[in-house]
Amino acid sequence: MQKSFAMAALLAASCAAQAAGSDADLAAIRAQIAEMKQSYEQRIAALENKLAEAESRTAQSAAAPVAVAPAAQSSASAFNPEVSLILQGKLRQMKDIPNRGITGFFPAGVEGANGRGFSADETELVLAANIDPYWRGQAIVAMADGQAEIEEAWFQSLAIGHGVGLKAGRFRSGIGYINEQHPHARDFADAPLMYQAMFGDSYAQDGVQLKWLAPTPLFVEFGAEVGRGANFPGTDRNRNGAGGSALYVHVGDDLGVENSWRVGLSWLKTKAGERSADFTDLAGVTAQGAFTGDSTTWLADFVWKWAPNGNPKYQNFKFQGEYFARQEKGALNCSSADAASLCNVAVESAYRTRQSGWYTQGVYQFTPEWRAGLRYEQLDSGTRDFGLNTANLAVDAYKPKKTTAMVDYSWSEFSRVRLQYAQDKSMAGITDKQWTLQYIMSLGAHGAHKF
């Protein structure tokens, strides 16, 4: 009995000792947690103080430019623009066709249309920089065969807000899809026939452009332009006010991760004063025609892009197409100094045309370096009413066509070489098989191209 009681007392003493040890451990753990809490709270408080100080410095620096702007402008070293140079050259093999044009369309004056053999083509010098926090400027000088011209020279807003953008100066119009693209950014070595017939290559404007990006889930962009309207199909009339205006809307979106699309509708109105070109009269003699009147052009465009997993670096495909319809209304003067011409005595008559055209193309990049593309295009000379001059000038009814295939190789985004073959039937009775080998090299900083 005494032995049992002793065992029970020992067991009770052991449990009490273990309980005392557990309480001590718990107390130690609680102390460590409290210490860590205090440490983290102190560190968080220190980080919050640093964040407040950084935000204060940022706010002060954002307010500072207004006060320090004059000092910045006075420093010559502050001008540090992005500079790039685009080198483009060609080797072309095709028929020698004097006065090359597009049958049934008023000659738009395509530069270098009949150039064969080796050519340095056009070199572009690009200068761009932010002027201040509110404006950005860019100038592009195009140089070819000893001549230089200002292709673009504009400034645009950076901080109007509410999706509004303002651009002024000389700029490529936002109408259509590829009109804003420079030649080196295109997928083929030349512009589609419809752009050659409509504008000679592309349409640029001296004036003001206003764009508004709607705050919607879809990409919705509205644009309006007014300007001098001096380029084909308009002419430089040296008058007060605007000679050309344009309106357009673009809508686009993504379809999942891999697909995206955009559609657009554009309207361009220009005025022409004695827009001249050579014609062949019914006697086969060259005569000069001069158009005075209004030119209205409508364009519709569509582009669809695909890239696996949304990454276009390794593989991608782009399909695009554009359609145009143009109406011109006014007067046509036909004259010639050649006594054999039917226009030897100048004849002025009414002039009214309604013409159209389209192209579609697809380009597949099947490796990071290689791409291949195919383009088909067709124009319609449509309705051409020369009034009294129908008795003097030939009224051609023809549908020009052209099929083009290309393959190009890019070592990087800065260097590309392209081989292109085209079967050109843009002139009635002539099939011109054209080969073009082209290089495009970009030196220096260069902004991203548009969608």
Side-chain angles (χ1 to χ4, degrees), residues 81-367:
E82 304 155 15
V83 180
S84 63
L85 191 68
I86 311 298
L87 306 177
Q88 302 172 91
K90 289 178 184 174
L91 171 61
R92 298 182 73 183
Q93 178 176 306
M94 59 185 189
K95 291 182 177 179
D96 183 16
I97 304 175
N99 300 319
R100 181 184 288 268
I102 302 175
T103 300
F105 286 80
F106 205 102
V110 180
E111 294 184 5
N114 201 42
R116 302 189 300 165
F118 287 98
S119 168
D121 207 357
E122 183 178 277
T123 301
E124 293 182 358
L125 175 63
V126 184
L127 302 172
N130 287 352
I131 300 167
D132 57 26
Y134 313 105
W135 303 99
R136 178 175 176 81
Q138 176 171 295
I140 298 178
V141 181
M143 299 166 283
D145 296 332
Q147 295 183 338
E149 65 173 5
I150 302 298
E151 190 167 302
E152 287 194 87
W154 48 257
F155 65 93
Q156 68 177 168
S157 64
L158 296 176
I160 294 179
H162 305 289
V164 177
L166 177 68
K167 182 186 288 186
R170 176 173 297 177
F171 52 86
R172 285 175 174 263
S173 173
I175 59 175
Y177 176 63
I178 69 166
N179 190 71
E180 285 190 292
Q181 296 178 358
H182 285 263
H184 70 270
R186 295 172 182 161
D187 296 315
F188 291 83
D190 51 4
L193 279 181
M194 64 173 271
Y195 272 85
Q196 296 181 31
M198 287 192 303
F199 309 125
D201 181 273
S202 56
Y203 186 73
Q205 183 94 278
D206 287 8
V208 180
Q209 178 191 72
L210 187 66
K211 288 185 177 181
W212 179 60
L213 187 62
T216 59
L218 283 177
F219 168 78
V220 181
E221 179 188 65
F222 295 92
E225 300 169 1
V226 292
R228 192 175 184 87
N231 293 329
F232 191 92
T235 60
D236 191 354
R237 302 180 306 141
N238 192 26
R239 292 185 179 182
N240 293 325
S245 55
L247 296 172
Y248 44 87
V249 58
H250 299 135
V251 180
D253 199 3
D254 294 331
L255 292 175
V257 176
E258 298 185 338
N259 300 278
S260 58
W261 58 272
R262 199 196 84 167
V263 297
L265 182 64
S266 308
W267 171 85
L268 173 69
K269 181 73 173 287
T270 61
K271 295 181 179 295
E274 297 186 352
R275 188 184 72 199
S276 61
D278 288 341
F279 288 80
T280 301
D281 66 19
L282 293 175
V285 179
T286 300
Q288 286 71 51
F291 166 70
T292 299
D294 295 334
S295 177
T296 304
T297 304
W298 288 89
L299 295 99
D301 62 85
F302 170 77
V303 58
W304 168 64
K305 293 183 178 181
W306 168 83
N309 300 316
N311 182 3
K313 181 178 180 180
Y314 302 99
Q315 280 184 307
N316 66 75
F317 178 74
K318 180 171 68 173
F319 175 81
Q320 69 187 65
E322 295 188 71
Y323 171 85
F324 89 95
R326 167 172 291 167
Q327 182 176 5
E328 294 193 322
K329 184 178 179 182
L332 180 68
N333 181 279
C334 181
S335 63
S336 175
D338 193 327
S341 172
L342 298 175
C343 292
N344 179 250
V345 178
V347 178
E348 183 161 327
S349 66
Y351 179 82
R352 185 190 298 266
T353 65
R354 187 186 297 270
Q355 301 178 305
S356 62
W358 58 272
Y359 80 89
T360 184
Q361 69 180 52
V363 176
Y364 178 47
Q365 178 181 308
F366 47 93
T367 74

